[in-house]
Amino acid sequence: MDKYIIRRNNKGIVWFTINRPEKRNAIDYEVMDGLSETISEVKNNQSDKVFVITGIGEKAFCSGGDLAAFQNLMTKEDAYKMLSKMGEILYSLATLEKPTVALLNGLAIGGGCELATACDYRLAFRESRFGFVQGRLGITTGWGGATLLLERVSTDKALQMLLTGNIYTAVEGKDLGYINHILSKDLPNNECEEYISKQIIHNTKVIEAYKKVVNRKWVATQLKQRMFREIEECSVLWASDEHHQAVSSFMNKNN
């Protein structure tokens, strides 16, 4: 079974669906490569206008990194190689000169929140929940997600989400300014496309020009450098005994 599904429609919307329901749509190296390749394709394909990321089913958008795939990364150097790989992908997603949408069809936790945060818009089922829970494993956001979060919501709201590690509902996420729109579960893809058609009305050239304005701000404020300092700090925590013990306990609990 393919770990991700790519679909294009006649409106120029590209759908990237993580297809790992047995892993709550967790990200492994294959999904990373799929995201990287698809972002590059969307960037270079003039007929692609909007990029939407979601997960298969109604239970999980993305549960973050697949711990089974990454549990053997013991050292700071090993961790940094994986974390920086995904950091590069999220930076390319955040700076893509076409609108990006995360459709939260279910639970988004840990790295799943980082993936959603890299997108321009976050739409969610009313039943969806999300949370930056990395601290429970003795680490911080490892893919640059905290830096990106500070670009999306106010500092106090970002700290609240990061420091508490709380799981929030979609309604609470809208109040925090994190979720842009709440969808019904009946026809979410249609409703998502309707939202896109109302929010993104200009032609592709105009949209790209506006996104370049945003990107220039992020270059000036060293977004990428800030993301990678965050990734460096996480890689140090990743190599700690506390993190390895937390991962071991989690894996034993789920086996």
Side-chain angles (χ1 to χ4, degrees), residues 27 61-62 64-65 83 86-87 90 93 108-119 122 131-132 134 139-149 152 162 178 227 230-231 234:
I27 292 173
F61 166 73
C62 175
L83 297 173
M86 192 62 185
L90 292 196
L93 178 62
I109 56 172
C113 281
E114 297 189 64
L115 176 61
T117 305
C119 294
R122 281 154 298 284
F132 291 84
Q134 289 90 331
I139 56 172
T140 59
T141 44
W143 295 338
T147 301
L148 290 166
L149 183 63
R152 304 300 189 194
L162 295 167
Y178 183 74
M227 287 177 65
E230 177 185 341
I231 291 167
C234 182

Side-chain angles (χ1 to χ4, degrees), residues 97 205 207-217:
E97 290 173 2
K205 294 298 182 184
I207 292 167
E208 288 178 354
Y210 278 134
K211 295 250 1 211
K212 286 177 181 177
V213 172
V214 176
N215 288 347
R216 284 196 291 271
K217 173 212 170 188

Side-chain angles (χ1 to χ4, degrees), residues 1-96:
M1 183 174 68
D2 293 335
K3 294 182 179 181
Y4 56 88
I5 301 166
I6 301 168
R7 178 173 63 86
R8 286 173 166 82
N9 68 15
N10 57 11
K11 297 178 182 177
I13 300 175
V14 182
W15 293 82
F16 185 98
T17 303
I18 304 173
N19 186 34
R20 306 189 72 206
E22 77 288 354
K23 294 283 189 176
R24 295 194 299 176
N25 296 325
I27 292 173
D28 64 2
Y29 290 112
E30 189 174 333
V31 176
M32 284 186 187
D33 290 339
L35 273 169
S36 180
E37 291 168 10
T38 309
I39 291 167
S40 180
E41 288 172 5
V42 172
K43 177 181 179 180
N44 295 311
N45 190 342
Q46 289 303 306
S47 62
D48 292 341
K49 297 179 180 178
V50 180
F51 185 42
V52 181
I53 300 174
T54 191
I56 201 76
E58 298 180 354
K59 293 184 178 180
F61 166 73
C62 175
S63 59
D66 184 348
L67 292 180
F70 304 144
Q71 63 177 323
N72 293 325
L73 304 178
M74 304 300 291
T75 68
K76 171 188 170 183
E77 292 73 23
D78 288 342
Y80 185 81
K81 187 175 180 180
M82 181 276 290
L83 297 173
S84 61
K85 176 183 175 72
M86 192 62 185
E88 288 281 0
I89 293 167
L90 292 196
Y91 182 76
S92 68
L93 178 62
T95 57
L96 184 65

Side-chain angles (χ1 to χ4, degrees), residues 179-194:
I179 300 297
N180 299 97
H181 183 68
I182 297 175
L183 304 166
S184 68
K185 282 179 66 174
D186 297 330
L187 295 168
N189 288 8
N190 290 358
E191 196 176 343
C192 178
E193 291 183 10
E194 182 180 350

